[in-house]
Amino acid sequence: MATSQAVVRPANRFFRRVREGNEIAYTITVICAASILLVTVLLVFQLWNNSGIARHKFGWSFIGSQTWDPVNEDFGALPLAFGTLVSSALALLIAVPSGLMAAIFLAELAPPKASDVLTFLIELLAAVPSVIYGLLGIFLLVPILKDHVVPVLKSTLGWLPIFSGPFYGYSMLAAGLVLAIMIIPFIVSVSREVLLAVPVEQREAALGLGATRWEATWQIVIPYASRGIYGSIFLALARALGETMAVTMVIGNNPKIAMSLLAPGYSIAAVIANEFSEASSAMHAASLTELGLVLFAITVIINGAARLMMLTTAEHAK
Amino acid sequence: MKKIQWGWLKSSMLAVALLAFAAASSAQLTVTGAGASFPYPMYSKWFDEYHKAHPDTQINYQSIGSGGGIKNITDGTVDFGASDMPMTDKQLAEYRTAQNQGIQHFPTVLGAAVPLYNVPGVSGDLNFSGPVLADIFLGKITKWNDAAIVKENPGVKLPATEIVVVHRSDPSGTTFMWTDFLSKVSPEWKSKVGANTAVNWPVGLGGKGSEGVTGTVKQTANSLGYVELLYAKQNKLAYGKVKNSSGKFIKAEVDSVSAAAAGVEVPADFRVSITDPKGDKAYPVSSFTWLLVPEKIKDPAKDKAVHDFLVWMIGPGQTLTAALDYAPLPKSVVDMEKKALGLAADAPVKSPAKAAPKKGK
């Protein structure tokens, strides 16, 4: 018996492994994993290829130029990249503190039943299509900003350059606010999970040493969960950077760089969505594709920086 | 031996299937077009009516935008294209290089761009002249009670508020009409901005689509924008009058838009801008929209189907326009198109079923 098993030929062994399912599972999973790489490579390749004439014509000045002129076929990315970065930064500025506070409440302080119901609602919000948030922006946010918020802002902080100039509703501020509302659910639901995953012993030890509930949360639980919280913020930022529909509906679609948050702006994703289908010339289409490349680069740089930051904080923690 | 028989059976089945497929496809010819979205409701009505009258021809149209239409026809992925802006000489040259033949423009219907505004306390039609509109869109006239606007609107009490300019953020045939008109009436607009489906706007907010512009104008007090006439009519929006080259303030209506096309000398290739035309009754901010048809579609059956459709379009097709608020082509243009289609100028344009009887029926 023992000898007959020892002389099983390699081919037979392979078929046995196939029958057991290992090979098939291996093949399927490896193909799926490789396809991710393939999609990324194809994406860069296509963006690079289709933006050829624009890259050739404008070179690096594409990134620094402020003109977006389809008539004279003169294109530059700066005001659009500016709009993308400023609207996303504004969104983070609003969403991170409020999202984090909500997550702390849900994970640490709320009664479990209330926490479950609220969490369910928040996860529902994360699944709402962005065009709906755009409508919310147009019908609710813009009128409220125009009639109530901005008059107050102008009378108190109007001397700040970021609140100068006339306000028509459609603005960088409106875009930042809509984005903030859209990304808060991401921050809340991921951060809550992370906070809940902090071992109970950590809290017990802090409380045992005489810390108050809030001290235990703020000084022990939050630092313990910080990497996961950063993760939720970067996930939210990625969504804000790439958000198209809701932004284009409220940002005012004007490719100018303005100091004031009350002035209209434009973002990379919004201009691509607006203009690509009707691009009037090959150069116009190529420039829009190059904008896609710029947005891709911004995303890669920010995500790379995020990774780096998380690595260094991990080392600090050790 | 058995195997060979099986092979025979298989190949004969395949042949039968292929024949059946060929028969099915010859029974109904499918022609594909793509392009402009402004005339899409008209085209879809036309293609539907035409299919009812000619069950053997099915025309599919994808409303992907004028730029996409020109690109697709240049790449040869559709049988015909459609655009709200005539192809430029450069685009024609690109087409010739890619397809090794020329392309013809056929005007189908007319559209117009109208000024849309929201000024609290002002009801009724406001009057605008071209130069004033150009100065407003250049950011030179900034207040509603500017002397230039007041002069054109005697008796209307205009507020001393800032004008909020609203324009399209997506490239559009409406923007082309609007900027083409401003370029003709204002040298400064021509040199600083120019005419195109999308331009580098000196001032203003961008709204996506007609609905985006309309929504922004409705929500923003003291705003001024422009929309396609058809959209304004279907949504019962109040819009202003524009001064034509005869010095009259004209409200855009189906008749005044058709009159604009009659007031222009149309060249043989139909690539013409009809903004700021001659004529007392002509509304000055209007344009043709065109079908772009290759001189020779490779498949002769499709070539004939498109030709037959065009003949039908300038005949019975034109009678269907008014119901959808599109302005029909003036007779002078219909006559020119007849000539371009190889018909006598006085030929009655009726259903091409009579002009080209089907074989064997």
Side-chain angles (χ1 to χ4, degrees):
Chain A
M1 273 298 271
T3 47
S4 69
Q5 258 181 357
V7 292
V8 173
R9 289 153 90 193
N12 288 351
R13 212 182 301 149
F14 175 76
F15 282 118
R16 200 172 66 207
R17 284 172 64 188
V18 167
R19 266 206 308 279
E20 284 165 2
N22 283 343
E23 295 297 326
I24 296 173
Y26 180 80
T27 316
I28 292 174
T29 49
V30 94
I31 288 173
C32 290
S35 67
I36 298 169
L37 187 71
L38 185 73
V39 167
T40 317
V41 169
L42 277 179
L43 193 66
V44 175
F45 176 74
Q46 284 298 330
L47 287 176
W48 185 262
N49 230 8
N50 289 327
S51 62
I53 52 171
R55 277 187 292 109
H56 194 254
K57 181 174 172 191
F58 303 116
W60 286 105
S61 71
F62 183 77
I63 295 170
S65 161
Q66 294 202 30
T67 326
W68 189 263
D69 186 348
V71 181
N72 299 313
E73 300 195 350
D74 187 5
F75 300 102
L78 195 63
L80 307 158
F82 174 84
T84 297
L85 291 172
V86 169
S87 60
S88 301
L90 189 62
L92 279 191
L93 205 67
I94 301 164
V96 169
S98 52
L100 195 54
M101 290 301 147
I104 291 172
F105 175 76
L106 292 175
E108 302 289 322
L109 308 172
K113 266 200 180 151
S115 172
D116 285 349
V117 172
L118 281 175
T119 307
F120 172 73
L121 284 178
I122 285 164
E123 276 161 12
L124 204 69
L125 283 183
V128 171
S130 60
V131 64
I132 308 285
Y133 282 106
L135 290 176
L136 178 86
I138 289 179
F139 292 122
L140 192 70
L141 219 55
V142 165
I144 290 179
L145 279 179
K146 200 161 49 182
D147 299 339
H148 305 290
V149 180
V150 169
V152 176
L153 272 180
K154 285 202 82 105
S155 63
T156 53
L157 298 169
W159 49 273
L160 284 174
I162 55 166
F163 295 124
S164 62
F167 181 71
Y168 307 123
Y170 299 89
S171 58
M172 198 68 95
L173 180 67
L177 264 179
V178 169
L179 280 177
I181 294 172
M182 290 178 69
I183 64 177
I184 281 175
F186 284 78
I187 296 179
V188 175
S189 73
V190 178
S191 299
R192 175 182 167 272
E193 294 293 325
V194 177
L195 291 174
L196 285 178
V198 174
V200 186
E201 292 82 359
Q202 294 282 332
R203 296 185 184 85
E204 285 173 350
L207 294 173
L209 287 171
T212 63
R213 185 109 185 240
W214 179 249
E215 281 169 346
T217 303
W218 192 247
Q219 291 174 11
I220 304 298
V221 178
I222 300 281
Y224 194 95
S226 61
R227 288 191 68 187
I229 293 172
Y230 283 133
S232 78
I233 293 171
F234 290 122
L235 189 69
L237 178 60
R239 175 153 200 208
L241 286 173
E243 179 47 46
T244 307
M245 203 57 218
V247 170
T248 192
M249 287 165 85
V250 297
I251 200 169
N253 301 320
N254 188 347
K256 302 253 158 38
I257 293 181
M259 262 310 276
S260 175
L261 293 177
L262 307 183
Y266 219 155
S267 81
I268 293 180
V271 77
I272 296 175
N274 267 324
E275 297 191 357
F276 192 77
S277 61
E278 292 261 6
S280 52
S281 65
M283 185 60 73
H284 193 183
S287 300
L288 289 166
T289 316
E290 190 173 356
L291 274 185
L293 205 59
V294 172
L295 184 57
F296 190 83
I298 290 177
T299 321
V300 168
I301 290 169
I302 287 182
N303 271 311
R307 277 288 145 115
L308 213 65
M309 204 171 108
M310 275 159 83
L311 279 179
T312 51
T313 51
E315 269 160 30
H316 272 294
K318 272 177 198 169
Chain B
M1 196 53 200
K2 264 192 173 177
K3 269 192 178 165
I4 294 163
Q5 278 174 346
W6 265 110
W8 261 106
L9 193 60
K10 267 187 193 167
S11 51
S12 55
M13 273 165 70
L14 191 70
V16 169
L18 273 177
L19 274 175
F21 181 74
S25 56
S26 75
Q28 191 174 65
L29 181 70
T30 304
V31 182
T32 314
S37 49
F38 149 65
Y40 175 63
M42 187 71 254
Y43 289 177
S44 108
K45 172 89 179 154
W46 274 348
F47 297 146
D48 190 42
E49 290 290 327
Y50 189 75
H51 180 61
K52 275 184 203 154
H54 307 84
D56 52 347
T57 307
Q58 170 84 48
I59 304 177
N60 288 335
Y61 183 75
Q62 296 152 3
S63 140
I64 56 169
S66 299
I70 291 174
K71 190 173 184 310
N72 278 4
I73 191 70
T74 307
D75 294 345
T77 52
V78 290
D79 301 316
F80 65 90
S83 174
D84 293 336
M85 185 177 163
M87 286 170 76
T88 59
D89 291 342
K90 200 174 144 216
Q91 283 167 334
L92 286 178
E94 279 167 11
Y95 181 83
R96 195 169 276 283
T97 329
Q99 299 294 331
N100 210 14
Q101 63 166 327
I103 192 159
Q104 287 175 291
H105 288 62
F106 288 99
T108 52
V109 282
L110 292 144
V114 296
L116 187 72
Y117 47 81
N118 169 6
V119 188
V122 172
S123 55
D125 302 342
L126 285 181
N127 293 333
F128 298 96
S129 71
V132 164
L133 284 174
D135 283 351
I136 294 174
F137 275 75
L138 278 167
K140 285 169 72 188
I141 294 180
T142 56
K143 291 254 187 338
W144 275 105
N145 66 347
D146 190 285
I149 307 178
V150 171
K151 205 180 101 196
E152 288 168 359
N153 293 280
V156 182
K157 205 169 151 23
L158 288 158
T161 46
E162 296 265 339
I163 303 173
V164 183
V165 169
V166 184
H167 55 76
R168 289 281 289 264
S169 63
D170 51 328
S172 133
T174 319
T175 300
F176 175 64
M177 286 180 227
W178 194 253
T179 53
D180 185 48
F181 172 63
L182 296 185
S183 293
K184 282 193 188 167
V185 295
S186 158
E188 190 179 352
W189 183 274
K190 192 175 179 183
S191 65
K192 277 193 180 161
V193 185
N196 199 347
T197 50
V199 300
N200 185 17
W201 295 99
V203 291
L205 299 169
K208 186 165 165 53
S210 300
E211 62 286 353
V213 170
T214 309
T216 309
V217 169
K218 273 187 175 167
Q219 279 204 349
T220 313
N222 305 307
S223 57
L224 170 68
Y226 60 88
V227 288
E228 163 57 38
L229 168 67
L230 183 71
Y231 188 84
K233 281 196 157 273
Q234 285 176 348
N235 292 282
K236 312 233 176 327
L237 305 169
Y239 53 90
K241 295 178 182 171
V242 181
K243 195 179 194 174
N244 68 13
S245 61
S246 311
K248 295 217 165 65
F249 289 101
I250 301 288
K251 187 149 182 169
E253 297 292 350
V254 167
D255 293 341
S256 57
V257 173
S258 288
V264 172
E265 198 156 319
V266 179
D269 66 355
F270 297 106
R271 292 193 301 144
V272 64
S273 142
I274 58 164
T275 51
D276 201 29
K278 291 193 197 83
D280 252 16
K281 293 181 181 131
Y283 179 74
V285 199
S286 38
S287 173
F288 287 119
T289 180
W290 294 265
L291 285 184
L292 310 171
V293 182
E295 275 171 3
K296 193 88 202 153
I297 299 175
K298 283 189 194 84
D299 180 342
K302 285 181 176 177
D303 195 63
K304 185 175 171 304
V306 171
H307 181 270
D308 288 350
F309 169 75
L310 287 170
V311 171
W312 179 87
M313 184 273 292
I314 55 172
Q318 290 294 315
T319 59
L320 300 170
T321 54
L324 291 176
D325 287 327
Y326 286 90
L329 300 169
K331 191 180 173 301
S332 55
V333 176
V334 170
D335 285 347
M336 285 186 69
E337 288 194 57
K338 277 187 204 163
K339 216 172 126 197
L341 288 165
L343 308 172
D346 55 351
V349 273
K350 279 189 185 160
S351 176
K354 281 175 196 161
K358 276 170 261 168
K359 285 161 226 146
K361 280 190 186 171

